[in-house]
């Protein structure tokens, strides 16, 4: 296999990363703090979306508890990176062992991802056997448990009060971009890995997958853990950008946003989830702007953004349930050569 | 090397018939039962399949053929009896472990991974057995060429013709490099020409790949021309087993199933 073929086969994440880099660089270049904020937030959301797609897209199972793992990563990494003195001052009830922890930002991000993955490994084990309705209800109940824990466990999360990180934003636009690019590669690598193929096979037909030697329960379990790790990473980025977080930041509104991006873009491909994230991020800004303008001119339309996104999601579920991309991946093909793989779209 | 294989295996081997004279594996089903709420769907069925041969399983609708296949592949729990695949007792194995023990299958109602490409479908058959992705891909490309779908490799499985989907399912099963292959009505829905192509494809498989095939079908022309032996079920019970000629001459089989159609 020559270098061009090698590149062609891996072109999907490279193209998506390039598009992201150009968009972010452009918004930064415009030198407007609002647009820089949109770009940074967009990258953080993208990491969340990639982690969500990683499980939902490949397994076909909606993981309601996902944003709970984002929250775990956010709090865990914040606890790790804040100076002990600052923690003692702000949160006197915090466990002594947690107050003593202190590590650099990048290490705190990794710990956040690791704690989220560990939580998923422990909680997911008994839940992996549940399927369909029972599994969905259990995951939703788990989200409520996460929310309640994050909101009430004073010795860890400062309880219902805001958890303030203080200092300067460690998550800069460039850090968010780099992690965003990494998350694209992780999501694509996972999808194309043997584990990802097994998970996709189980999504398409559980019985045929089992009869092909695939342990469906174990496959889902591993996918769930990796997805939670990416979510935890996104949480760390988020808390070190927003600098003050509460349990509410990781609940239904956040889940709804990620879900609408993945459903509208198309959960079955990394390209779809990426496109959904970018398009909804842009659409949200426009809607917010319109909402503010209308409200200022006398018509109170607060909540319009959420309603429009919800209606859009419903329309997609009805008319194009596989989203914009419907499983398609952007790919650079070698000119004049019929690719042996995945050219389904070109032919049909 | 041959001597090493003669070490006796503990467990149910006491009930297992002696190993065959020729090299290869045996699939043994002994005294298999299945009760569905008072209905005995499979009643005391025993059979043996060796690598290198094709065994047909026939019987009228509702005679328990598909239940039998779902039992030995681990998709349904058994009410009694045992299954041994190449000296491994798989009686209580779940479907995935049965597959890993060397038994691959196709389904009466095609169960492909519809949104995946044809290549990925076949790859999944190998990856499910623990084969790394690279190797699985090479294996899948070879199999797609064998079944004549190489030019469709990048297409999604759902876009294939019905006959193509049937062939792809067989390729996916073969990608596991099984010792035994179970085909559940592979000719259902195929026209005469396609069935003839299926027959031509299946006939040399046992010798070429060293596998044993158990085939269920209602197409008597296919069964009679393909199988070395035929096992006949009626109301969940074995009513005959023998060569195609013996089965065709058996008055009970003719009465229960074949009628005059087979002649």
């Amino acid at each position: 296999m020559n270098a061009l073929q090698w590149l062609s086969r891996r072109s999907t994440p490279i193209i998506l990363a390039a598009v992201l880099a150009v968009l972010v660089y452009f918004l930064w270049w415009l030198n407007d703090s609002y647009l820089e904020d949109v770009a940074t937030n967009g990258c953080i959301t993208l990491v969340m979306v990639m982690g969500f797609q990683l499980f939902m897209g490949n397994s076909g199972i909606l993981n309601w508890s996902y944003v709970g793992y984002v929250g775990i990563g956010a709090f865990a990494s914040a606890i790790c990176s804040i100076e002990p003195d600052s923690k003692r001052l702000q949160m006197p009830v915090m466990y002594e062992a947690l107050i003593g922890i202190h590590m650099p930002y990048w290490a705190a991000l990794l710990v956040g991802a690791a704690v989220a993955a560990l939580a998923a490994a422990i909680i997911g084990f008994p839940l992996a056997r549940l399927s369909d309705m029972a599994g969905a209800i259990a995951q939703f109940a788990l989200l409520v448990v996460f929310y309640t824990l994050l909101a009430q466990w004073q010795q860890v999360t400062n309880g219902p009060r805001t958890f303030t990180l203080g200092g300067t934003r460690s998550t800069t636009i460039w850090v968010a971009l780099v992690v965003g690019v990494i998350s694209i590669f992780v999501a694509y690598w996972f999808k194309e890995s043997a584990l990802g193929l097994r998970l996709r096979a189980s999504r398409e037909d559980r019985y045929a997958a089992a009869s092909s030697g695939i342990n469906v329960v174990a496959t889902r379990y591993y996918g769930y853990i990796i997805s939670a790790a990416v979510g935890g990473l996104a949480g760390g980025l988020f808390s070190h950008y927003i600098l003050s977080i509460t349990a509410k930041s990781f609940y239904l509104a956040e889940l709804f946003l990620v879900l609408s991006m993945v459903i509208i873009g198309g959960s079955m491909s990394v390209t779809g989830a990426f496109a959904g994230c970018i398009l909804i991020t842009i659409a949200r800004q426009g809607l917010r702007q319109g909402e503010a303008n209308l409200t200022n001119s006398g018509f109170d339309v607060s909540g319009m953004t959420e309603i429009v996104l919800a209606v859009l999601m419903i329309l997609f579920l009805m008319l194009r349930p596989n989203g914009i991309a419907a499983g398609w991946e952007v790919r650079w093909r070698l000119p004049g050569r019929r690719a042996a793989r995945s050219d389904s779209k070109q032919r049909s | 090397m041959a001597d090493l294989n003669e070490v006796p295996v503990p467990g149910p081997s006491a009930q297992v018939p002696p190993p065959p004279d020729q090299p290869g594996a045996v699939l043994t089903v002994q005294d298999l039962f299945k009760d569905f709420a008072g209905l005995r769907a499979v009643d005391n069925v025993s059979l043996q399949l060796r690598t290198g041969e094709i065994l047909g399983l026939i019987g009228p609708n509702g005679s328990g053929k598909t239940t039998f296949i779902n039992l030995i592949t681990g998709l349904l729990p058994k009410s009694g009896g045992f299954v041994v695949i190449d000296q491994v007792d798989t009686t209580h194995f779940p479907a995935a472990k049965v597959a890993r023990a060397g038994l691959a299958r196709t389904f009466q109602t095609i169960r492909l991974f519809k949104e995946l490409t044809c290549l990925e479908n076949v790859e999944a058959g190998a990856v499910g057995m623990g084969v790394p992705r690279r190797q699985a891909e090479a294996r899948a490309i070879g199999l797609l060429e064998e079944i004549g779908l190489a030019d469709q490799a990048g297409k999604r499985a759902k876009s294939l013709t019905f006959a193509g989907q049937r062939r792809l399912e067989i390729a996916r099963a073969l990608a596991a490099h099984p010792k035994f292959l179970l085909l559940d009505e592979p000719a259902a829905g195929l026209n005469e020409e396609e069935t003839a192509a299926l027959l031509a494809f299946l006939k040399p498989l046992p010798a070429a790949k060293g596998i044993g095939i158990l085939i269920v079908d209602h197409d008597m022309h296919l069964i009679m021309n393909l199988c070395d032996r035929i096992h006949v079920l009626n109301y969940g019970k074995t009513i005959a087993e023998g060569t195609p000629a013996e089965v065709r001459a058996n008055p009970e089989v003719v009465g229960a199933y074949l009628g005059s159609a087979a002649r």
Side-chain angles (χ1 to χ4, degrees):
Chain A
M1 194 185 286
N2 66 38
L4 278 181
Q5 276 171 293
W6 188 90
L7 205 64
S8 170
R9 288 190 61 163
R10 286 153 186 80
S11 58
T12 301
I14 297 173
I15 292 169
L16 296 181
V19 171
L20 181 70
V22 168
L23 277 173
V24 169
Y25 184 81
F26 178 68
L27 289 174
W28 173 81
W29 176 79
L30 290 173
N31 199 15
D32 176 307
S33 66
Y34 174 73
L35 292 177
E36 188 174 330
D37 177 64
V38 170
T40 315
N41 255 321
C43 286
I44 296 169
T45 309
L46 180 71
V47 179
M48 256 168 89
V49 166
M50 287 292 122
F52 191 65
Q53 188 275 338
L54 194 152
F55 185 71
M56 177 180 167
N58 294 305
S59 73
I61 299 168
L62 203 172
N63 178 8
W64 292 96
S65 64
Y66 178 73
V67 288
Y69 292 106
V70 178
I72 289 173
F75 279 101
S77 63
I79 288 166
C80 289
S81 71
I82 302 175
E83 299 268 352
D85 291 344
S86 163
K87 270 185 273 193
R88 188 165 283 119
L89 203 67
Q90 270 190 66
M91 293 165 269
V93 292
M94 185 179 265
Y95 292 126
E96 203 53 40
L98 293 181
I99 287 180
I101 299 172
H102 186 227
M103 58 180 78
Y105 167 63
W106 62 269
L109 282 186
L110 293 181
V111 169
V115 172
L118 187 68
I122 295 167
I123 299 162
F125 193 72
L127 294 187
R129 276 170 200 287
L130 300 177
S131 58
D132 301 335
M133 189 63 107
I137 293 170
Q139 291 297 338
F140 188 76
L142 189 57
L143 175 64
V144 178
V145 171
F146 281 150
Y147 173 71
T148 311
L149 272 179
L150 293 179
Q152 302 297 336
W153 200 355
Q154 290 197 39
Q155 295 87 343
V156 178
T157 67
N158 207 24
R161 289 177 295 276
T162 303
F163 186 107
T164 313
L165 281 85
T168 53
R169 288 174 162 173
S170 305
T171 304
T172 63
I173 187 171
W174 305 120
V175 171
L177 172 63
V178 167
V179 181
V181 165
I182 291 171
S183 73
I184 293 171
F185 276 87
V186 169
Y188 189 78
W189 159 82
F190 179 83
K191 185 188 169 200
E192 290 299 325
S193 70
L195 182 60
L197 180 60
R198 287 202 282 266
L199 195 56
R200 283 185 287 148
S202 78
R203 172 192 76 199
E204 295 296 318
D205 193 309
R206 195 192 306 175
Y207 298 105
S211 292
S212 303
I214 295 169
N215 183 337
V216 174
V217 171
T219 304
R220 285 178 180 167
Y221 178 59
Y222 298 134
Y224 186 76
I225 294 172
I226 297 172
S227 167
V230 177
L233 189 63
L237 288 178
F238 181 80
S239 60
H240 288 85
Y241 180 68
I242 301 294
L243 298 183
S244 65
I245 53 175
T246 62
K248 243 185 161 166
S249 321
F250 312 101
Y251 204 38
L252 292 171
E254 214 54 31
L255 177 70
F256 176 76
L257 178 67
V258 175
L259 187 63
S260 66
M261 288 173 170
V262 170
I263 287 191
I264 290 169
S267 68
M268 284 197 302
S269 67
V270 179
T271 306
F274 177 87
C277 180
I278 304 292
L279 291 177
I280 299 297
T281 300
I282 294 169
R284 263 178 103 215
Q285 297 308 322
L287 285 165
R288 282 266 170 79
Q289 211 65 52
E291 195 179 307
N293 291 343
L294 279 170
T295 305
N296 285 342
S297 60
F299 303 96
D300 188 358
V301 287
S302 44
M304 181 184 79
T305 308
E306 281 66 31
I307 291 176
V308 171
L309 284 183
V311 170
L312 203 58
M313 191 159 94
I314 291 168
L315 285 177
F316 262 93
L317 285 172
M318 287 165 64
L319 303 173
R320 199 173 162 87
N322 288 330
I324 296 170
W328 175 78
E329 297 282 13
V330 60
R331 181 170 269 120
W332 172 70
R333 287 184 181 78
L334 291 173
R337 186 178 162 277
R338 262 181 299 161
R341 279 171 81 94
S342 306
D343 56 350
S344 53
K345 275 287 152 176
Q346 276 198 334
R347 288 166 186 273
S348 59
Chain B
M1 285 296 277
D3 291 10
L4 287 174
N5 292 331
E6 311 245 328
V7 178
V9 175
S13 54
Q15 297 162 292
V16 175
D21 310 328
Q22 69 269 42
V26 193
L27 166 73
T28 305
V29 179
Q30 195 74 47
D31 307 328
L32 199 65
F33 283 95
K34 179 65 190 180
D35 295 320
F36 286 118
L39 172 75
R40 182 147 285 183
V42 173
D43 190 354
N44 197 17
V45 175
S46 303
L47 60 77
Q48 269 200 26
L49 172 65
R50 287 158 202 274
T51 50
E53 70 169 351
I54 302 182
L55 175 64
L57 182 64
I58 62 171
N61 283 324
S63 60
K65 305 181 299 292
T66 292
T67 304
F68 179 82
I69 283 199
N70 286 338
L71 286 176
I72 61 176
T73 53
L75 283 180
L76 278 176
K78 297 152 194 75
S79 304
F82 64 87
V83 180
V84 179
I85 300 171
D86 195 16
Q87 308 188 359
V88 177
D89 180 2
T90 64
T91 307
H92 301 294
F93 279 14
K97 268 183 98 176
V98 173
R100 283 172 177 247
L103 183 61
R105 71 168 291 179
T106 66
F107 293 86
Q108 187 181 342
T109 51
I110 300 172
R111 286 180 173 275
L112 284 170
F113 307 132
K114 291 196 185 75
E115 295 286 343
L116 306 189
T117 65
C118 295
L119 187 66
E120 285 172 331
N121 265 272
V122 184
E123 271 184 70
V127 163
M129 307 299 290
V131 177
R133 193 97 207 253
R134 282 268 174 89
Q135 253 171 283
E137 189 185 346
R139 202 186 271 188
I141 290 171
L143 276 165
L144 284 178
E145 271 162 18
E146 276 180 54
I147 61 162
L149 287 176
D151 56 333
Q152 318 270 326
K155 268 194 176 181
R156 292 192 202 189
K158 65 177 178 185
S159 69
L160 287 183
T161 62
F162 186 80
Q165 295 191 10
R166 284 252 182 249
R167 273 187 287 163
L168 187 64
E169 222 192 3
I170 295 173
R172 181 180 69 191
L174 288 173
H177 280 186
K179 298 181 186 104
F180 300 100
L181 175 62
L182 260 60
L183 302 171
D184 195 356
E185 302 204 17
L190 299 189
N191 64 30
E192 220 166 288
E193 202 178 315
E194 290 159 350
T195 307
L198 180 72
L199 174 63
F201 175 72
L202 292 178
K203 192 81 183 172
L205 267 189
K209 300 204 183 274
I211 61 175
I213 296 180
L214 178 69
I215 178 170
V216 172
D217 212 282
H218 286 292
D219 186 324
M220 280 309 116
H221 179 77
L222 174 71
I223 291 288
M224 295 293 170
N225 285 290
L226 184 61
C227 298
D228 301 304
R229 285 184 301 129
I230 296 172
H231 192 105
V232 191
L233 294 181
N234 194 22
Y235 294 111
K237 284 196 177 85
T238 301
I239 58 169
E241 194 189 303
T243 63
E246 286 165 2
V247 165
R248 208 178 311 180
N250 184 316
E252 202 181 343
V253 178
V254 173
Y257 181 51
L258 293 179
S260 53
R263 286 162 200 277

